[in-house]
Amino acid sequence: MEKEIDKNKTEKIMVSDDISAKVKELEERIATLEKKDDHLTMVVFSGDFDKAMAAFIIANGSIAMDMKVTIFFTFWGLDILKKSSFNTTGRGFLERMVLAMRPKGAGRLGTSKMNFGGIGPRLFKFMMKKKNIEQLESLISMAQEYGVRIIACQMTVDLMGLEPSDLFDGIECGGVGAFLASSSHSNTTLFI
Amino acid sequence: MEKEIDKNKTEKIMVSDDISAKVKELEERIATLEKKDDHLTMVVFSGDFDKAMAAFIIANGSIAMDMKVTIFFTFWGLDILKKSSFNTTGRGFLERMVLAMRPKGAGRLGTSKMNFGGIGPRLFKFMMKKKNIEQLESLISMAQEYGVRIIACQMTVDLMGLEPSDLFDGIECGGVGAFLASSSHSNTTLFI
Amino acid sequence: MEKEIDKNKTEKIMVSDDISAKVKELEERIATLEKKDDHLTMVVFSGDFDKAMAAFIIANGSIAMDMKVTIFFTFWGLDILKKSSFNTTGRGFLERMVLAMRPKGAGRLGTSKMNFGGIGPRLFKFMMKKKNIEQLESLISMAQEYGVRIIACQMTVDLMGLEPSDLFDGIECGGVGAFLASSSHSNTTLFI
């Protein structure tokens, strides 16, 4: 009898080993879930100057709070990442036409409101300078320096007839899967 | 000494019942939290062709990654879900006027930029065809086939004087509560 | 027999101190994660009447479902929070010019589509009244009453030359950090 109980006890002991292993596993899963607090993923669809400002102010603010940031640029958002000059010879007619009509780079974007044929953005840049707010171009280079992950939508790059070399250096091209892999581990997800 | 060990064993025995029940409960709660990785919820407020493309590319990409997708269409977003023809006789004057001014269905949406009185969307559709990108209408029917849950905002349906029969088949009508019930269990939430 | 029970008790007391403390800690961390279901954080960047309606319908719907809501108003979104009259004398020339061109308050916003020089918003307000949908101003005061946390972007307030007294009472000013602190504990995050 005594021996029986002992055997039972021994079995139960095993259970406790199992449990402490299980508790350890659960703790790791919780830590993974908690890490989402520190991730922010944005889609930047718009190519407006004011929305680009908002995106990079949020991105750099997140970096300052030790968060990880991924931004997926798609459609008009790619205008923000374009170099201020690139050669479109050798591309299709439609692609050249569309590229010719789009602003080249962060320095030439219009605003979503009060654009007034380009006077709006100049006015806001002047007002921002007076108030010591960083300009868009320097917000972007700060973001790149601080490790914000910038993904250019491959499909848009193809559609618009862009070459990766038309965009700032250090930008990866990726599909919607790259966005989703990041957003599904982020608490803060925004479409701008 | 032997007895000491035995006592230790006995102590360990107790780890079991209460705690193992609790650990099991916690594991279930963690699994529920982890499932949020696999849920994506969008509000589609805009009725622009390019934004609708973005919404359905994200939706179908999520489905391809085994995620669950809910899209709540509200305000102008309902334009995307309209059948290409429906009869507005018998509706109020204002409702008929507003319906007459809005595009009927996914095939007639304008773009948010470079619309040029409807030339922009045609141009982009042509360019998309050349690059083998799926057209919006087929992205929508793929989404419906693959089980994307599409909710039309009941309040907008009422406000615009729409009938559920004016919209694609297989669409449920719901309030903001239906959106929130889904978004609060999703990691990725977007307002488009 | 008596001794047996005692022994049982002792065993239960022992409940492996380490493990039960750990399980308790994990439960608290899980509860913290679960609370995110009940938090919603929005950036309202747009000052359009229809988008403001959407934001406050979502906010008040969330409150009705016992959720906590934080809205961060930035850029044009601040138009929604302006009092219908305030004096701009004593401010810089550019600031006065910009303030003069922006709508003053929730009652004078344009719509993102079909604005028609201000006829659109009037039309929609009339249609909403007929359908018994709450007007924007009353949605905003309901939100404030029910404890929606409203933060005005300090940088925009400075940039536009606004004074906190130009905005509704009970609004705090804060930076992007205040937004991120809230969004990183929210499951639903939207940029409107």
Side-chain angles (χ1 to χ4, degrees):
Chain A
M1 187 61 192
E2 177 63 27
K3 206 182 156 194
E4 274 268 288
I5 291 168
D6 253 10
K7 210 184 147 209
N8 269 332
K9 279 179 188 171
T10 320
E11 281 161 13
K12 283 198 178 173
I13 290 164
M14 295 314 297
V15 172
S16 93
D17 283 346
D18 285 356
I19 292 234
S20 75
K22 176 58 83 185
V23 165
K24 208 174 165 186
E25 180 214 312
L26 295 188
E27 186 169 24
E28 278 160 21
R29 287 162 69 182
I30 292 171
T32 302
L33 289 165
E34 286 169 335
K35 265 185 213 148
K36 289 176 191 170
D37 286 8
D38 302 329
H39 285 229
L40 174 139
T41 302
M42 295 186 272
V43 180
V44 175
F45 172 95
S46 163
D48 297 323
F49 170 73
D50 42 357
K51 292 199 175 172
M53 283 293 300
F56 280 98
I57 288 169
I58 292 172
N60 291 350
S62 305
I63 292 288
M65 288 171 80
D66 265 330
M67 293 167 73
K68 277 190 174 182
V69 181
T70 299
I71 320 182
F72 184 79
F73 287 82
T74 187
F75 283 78
W76 318 109
L78 282 185
D79 289 345
I80 303 165
L81 303 182
K82 284 180 197 162
K83 289 181 182 156
S84 57
S85 75
F86 55 86
N87 199 330
T88 60
T89 48
R91 311 198 191 182
F93 170 73
L94 285 176
E95 287 78 3
R96 280 169 72 186
M97 195 179 75
V98 171
L99 288 175
M101 283 189 290
R102 301 301 313 158
K104 278 197 187 163
R108 302 189 196 179
L109 306 171
T111 46
S112 66
K113 307 261 170 194
M114 297 178 71
N115 189 47
F116 305 133
I119 294 173
R122 281 193 214 176
L123 173 66
F124 287 115
K125 283 175 203 174
F126 180 76
M127 289 170 79
M128 279 159 52
K129 212 167 182 175
K130 261 180 50 183
K131 306 272 163 84
N132 290 317
I133 299 172
E134 290 284 346
Q135 298 289 326
L136 180 55
E137 290 91 333
S138 76
L139 287 173
I140 296 176
S141 48
M142 276 166 64
Q144 285 199 290
E145 203 176 305
Y146 293 155
V148 169
R149 185 176 167 211
I150 295 182
I151 306 172
C153 171
Q154 183 69 60
M155 197 198 79
T156 312
V157 166
D158 292 344
L159 178 66
M160 302 282 188
L162 284 164
E163 307 286 341
S165 63
D166 300 337
L167 306 177
F168 294 149
D169 299 327
I171 290 170
E172 62 181 295
C173 286
V176 71
F179 160 69
L180 292 167
S182 174
S183 72
S184 62
H185 295 94
S186 298
N187 267 340
T188 307
T189 57
L190 305 171
F191 184 98
I192 293 183
Chain B
M1 188 63 192
E2 176 64 26
K3 205 183 158 195
E4 274 269 290
I5 291 168
D6 253 9
K7 211 185 148 210
N8 269 332
K9 280 179 186 171
T10 321
E11 285 162 10
K12 282 197 180 174
I13 290 166
M14 289 322 302
V15 170
S16 299
D17 291 346
D18 287 353
I19 292 239
S20 80
K22 176 56 83 184
V23 165
K24 207 174 166 187
E25 180 215 314
L26 295 189
E27 186 168 25
E28 278 160 20
R29 286 162 70 182
I30 291 171
T32 302
L33 289 166
E34 286 169 337
K35 264 185 213 148
K36 289 175 191 171
D37 286 9
D38 302 329
H39 285 228
L40 175 139
T41 302
M42 294 185 273
V43 180
V44 176
F45 172 94
S46 163
D48 297 322
F49 170 73
D50 41 358
K51 292 199 175 173
M53 283 293 300
F56 279 98
I57 288 169
I58 292 171
N60 291 351
S62 306
I63 292 288
M65 289 172 80
D66 265 329
M67 293 167 72
K68 277 190 175 184
V69 182
T70 299
I71 320 183
F72 184 79
F73 287 83
T74 187
F75 283 78
W76 317 108
L78 281 185
D79 289 345
I80 303 165
L81 303 181
K82 283 180 196 161
K83 289 181 183 157
S84 57
S85 74
F86 56 85
N87 199 330
T88 60
T89 47
R91 310 198 191 182
F93 170 74
L94 284 176
E95 286 78 4
R96 281 169 71 184
M97 194 179 75
V98 171
L99 288 174
M101 285 189 289
R102 300 301 313 157
K104 278 196 187 163
R108 303 188 196 179
L109 306 172
T111 46
S112 66
K113 307 261 170 193
M114 297 177 71
N115 190 47
F116 305 132
I119 294 174
R122 280 193 216 176
L123 174 66
F124 287 114
K125 283 176 202 173
F126 179 75
M127 289 170 80
M128 279 159 51
K129 212 168 182 175
K130 261 180 50 184
K131 307 272 162 85
N132 290 317
I133 299 172
E134 290 283 347
Q135 299 289 326
L136 180 56
E137 289 91 334
S138 77
L139 287 174
I140 297 176
S141 48
M142 276 166 64
Q144 285 198 291
E145 203 176 303
Y146 293 155
V148 169
R149 186 176 168 211
I150 295 181
I151 307 171
C153 170
Q154 184 68 60
M155 197 198 79
T156 312
V157 165
D158 292 344
L159 179 65
M160 303 283 188
L162 284 163
E163 305 286 343
S165 64
D166 300 337
L167 306 177
F168 294 148
D169 298 327
I171 290 170
E172 62 181 295
C173 286
V176 72
F179 160 70
L180 292 167
S182 175
S183 72
S184 62
H185 294 94
S186 298
N187 267 338
T188 307
T189 57
L190 304 171
F191 184 97
I192 295 185
Chain C
M1 188 61 191
E2 177 64 28
K3 205 181 155 195
E4 273 268 290
I5 290 168
D6 253 9
K7 211 181 146 211
N8 268 332
K9 278 180 187 167
T10 321
E11 285 161 10
K12 281 201 179 171
I13 291 164
M14 292 317 298
V15 176
S16 155
D17 286 345
D18 286 355
I19 295 234
S20 78
K22 176 57 82 183
V23 164
K24 206 174 167 187
E25 180 214 312
L26 295 188
E27 187 168 24
E28 278 160 21
R29 286 163 68 181
I30 291 171
T32 302
L33 289 165
E34 287 170 335
K35 265 185 213 150
K36 291 176 190 170
D37 287 9
D38 302 329
H39 286 228
L40 175 139
T41 303
M42 295 185 271
V43 180
V44 175
F45 172 95
S46 163
D48 296 323
F49 170 73
D50 41 359
K51 292 198 175 172
M53 283 292 300
F56 279 98
I57 288 169
I58 292 172
N60 291 351
S62 305
I63 292 287
M65 290 171 79
D66 265 329
M67 294 167 72
K68 276 189 175 184
V69 181
T70 300
I71 320 182
F72 184 78
F73 287 82
T74 187
F75 282 78
W76 317 109
L78 282 185
D79 289 345
I80 303 165
L81 303 181
K82 284 178 196 161
K83 289 181 183 157
S84 58
S85 74
F86 55 86
N87 199 331
T88 59
T89 46
R91 310 199 192 181
F93 170 73
L94 285 175
E95 287 77 3
R96 280 168 73 185
M97 194 178 76
V98 171
L99 288 175
M101 284 188 290
R102 302 300 314 158
K104 279 196 187 163
R108 302 190 195 177
L109 305 172
T111 46
S112 66
K113 308 258 170 197
M114 298 178 69
N115 189 47
F116 305 133
I119 294 173
R122 280 193 215 176
L123 174 66
F124 287 114
K125 283 176 202 174
F126 179 76
M127 290 170 79
M128 279 158 52
K129 211 166 182 177
K130 261 181 49 184
K131 306 275 161 82
N132 290 318
I133 299 171
E134 290 284 346
Q135 299 289 326
L136 180 55
E137 289 91 333
S138 76
L139 287 174
I140 296 176
S141 49
M142 276 166 64
Q144 286 199 289
E145 203 176 304
Y146 293 156
V148 169
R149 186 177 166 210
I150 295 182
I151 307 172
C153 171
Q154 184 69 59
M155 197 198 78
T156 311
V157 165
D158 292 343
L159 178 66
M160 302 281 189
L162 285 163
E163 307 285 342
S165 63
D166 300 336
L167 307 176
F168 293 149
D169 298 327
I171 290 170
E172 61 182 294
C173 287
V176 71
F179 161 69
L180 292 167
S182 175
S183 73
S184 62
H185 294 94
S186 297
N187 268 338
T188 307
T189 57
L190 305 171
F191 184 97
I192 295 184

